[in-house]
Structure formats: structure tokens, C-alpha cells
Amino acid sequence: MAARVEQVVTTGEFTLDGGTWEVDNNVWIVGNDEEALVIDASHDADAIAAAVGQRRLTAIVCTHAHNDHINAAPALAARTGAPILLHLDDRLLWRNVHPDRSPDGYLSDRRGLTVAGTELIVLHTPGHSPGAICLYTPDLGTVFTGDTLFADGPGATGRSFSDFPTIIRSIRSELLPLPPDTRVLTGHGATTTIGAEAPHLEEWIVRGH
């Protein structure tokens, strides 16, 4: 059975640099009726586990290690036995949230992850955080961008461990070359496409300065 994408929206708090904000997060589940992979276990392990159901969970993949994207990961891993995977460059941010629980494995650029016969390719896209990644699946014509790219431009870069020129380079080199009809499934908010966002790159650069 072909893989499909399911969405769970969870609500909680994002905390960094002494500030706290209420946020809604998109949790993405890729799989079929037998197995699944979770992208960004945010806020509510119970809700995510309910959406996974009886399927075998092959991995919990973190697009980056801000608390609102990883706070439910250890609880979900404990329930399912699935490994937590994170890019090595975000290990410090991870430790700030989970000092007593390390990820089970570290991701690198162009690594392939397979679930339900579908490959997801890791794209290292630093800028929002040092170890931010996106996951591109050509079979589904979809890229999961975490907080690197949204429907109205790049993710935020005004806080610790982030950098605006770096996120622009990541988007330019890793995301905009994807086919224009590629769906962009984000960490927060609405879905878009590469073709819808690509013409606005220069506007973002001006806006970001």
C-alpha cells in the first residue's frame, strides 16, 4: 500500500531566550496502514500516538530542536520504541530541553529514510537553527520544511542559534531547485508550494535586512 501523509495539529508553548509564546504545531505522519514515521513530535504524545494507532512507528524525526518541535518526542519514543533522530548540529538545543535523554541517532545531509516503501531525503537547511533539516520525498512530491520555509517566507532568525543569511542560502540552494509543484508542508500554518514561494526570494532578502 502506498504511503500517505496525515496531519495532527497540537498546541503548546515555544520557549527560547527567556520568552514564551503559545503556538500551534503541525505534526506530520508519513506511512501506510502497517507502518509510519512521525515528523516533529510536538506538545501532545497522546494525540500523536492515537493518530499512529496500531501501526509500527519506524522513527520520530525532528526537523530541529526547538522545544515546541521535540517536547513530546521522548514520551512518544517510550510508548512506541521508535528511535528519535536529529541532526547533530542541533544537539545543544536538544540538551537545553532534554538534558537527561539523548536522541537515538543523528541525521546527516542526503541521508535517506524509508517508510512504507517511500524514501524521504534529508536536506540540511541551517539558519533557523544550526541543525535544521527538511525532508524531501520525490514519490509524494512533498517537502517537509519544519521552520525553514513557510507560506510567507523564511522561518524566524531573530533568536539564539539562528542567522538570516544562512537560512536564505539554505532555501536558495536546497529548496527552490525542487520541482515547482512540490508541496511544502510546514511546521506551523498553511501548506504552500515551491512554485508559489520561489518568486519572492528577493523580497524576503530586502525584508530581512
Side-chain angles (χ1 to χ4, degrees):
M1 182 178 294
R4 61 183 183 270
V5 178
E6 301 160 51
Q7 180 184 18
V8 178
V9 178
T10 60
T11 300
E13 293 183 342
F14 166 51
T15 301
L16 188 66
D17 294 342
T20 298
W21 301 264
E22 287 287 328
V23 289
D24 294 332
N25 283 65
N26 295 325
V27 180
W28 301 105
I29 302 172
V30 183
N32 57 17
D33 289 345
E34 284 76 44
E35 64 180 21
L37 174 150
V38 163
I39 301 170
D40 287 344
S42 304
H43 305 306
D44 191 339
D46 290 340
I48 301 167
V52 172
Q54 298 303 308
R55 291 178 284 183
R56 181 173 70 89
L57 192 59
T58 62
I60 301 164
V61 182
C62 309
T63 62
H64 61 292
H66 285 155
N67 75 292
D68 59 316
H69 290 256
I70 65 170
N71 49 13
L76 185 62
R79 291 178 64 148
T80 63
I84 300 170
L85 305 178
L86 174 76
H87 194 279
L88 184 65
D89 289 352
D90 260 17
R91 61 193 181 279
L92 178 59
L93 280 167
W94 173 278
R95 288 179 194 143
N96 289 340
V97 181
H98 299 301
D100 299 320
R101 200 320 185 168
S102 297
D104 300 293
Y106 290 105
L107 299 169
S108 56
D109 189 50
R110 298 307 192 272
R111 174 176 169 180
L113 303 171
T114 301
V115 62
T118 298
E119 186 179 38
L120 295 91
I121 301 166
V122 174
L123 305 177
H124 183 208
T125 53
H128 183 67
S129 72
I133 65 158
C134 299
L135 292 165
Y136 175 50
T137 170
D139 291 347
L140 301 179
T142 298
V143 61
F144 301 89
T145 57
D147 287 3
T148 294
L149 179 63
F150 293 109
D152 60 351
T157 54
R159 303 187 181 101
S160 297
F161 305 101
S162 65
D163 182 71
F164 180 76
T166 301
I167 202 171
I168 290 295
R169 282 196 300 271
S170 293
I171 292 170
R172 190 198 302 271
S173 65
E174 301 298 332
L175 298 181
L176 297 190
L178 299 177
D181 60 350
T182 301
R183 289 190 305 163
V184 176
L185 303 187
T186 64
H188 309 271
T191 294
T192 184
T193 65
I194 292 296
E197 301 308 314
H200 302 291
L201 179 65
E202 295 306 318
E203 299 171 26
W204 303 337
I205 293 171
V206 171
R207 189 173 72 192
H209 281 76

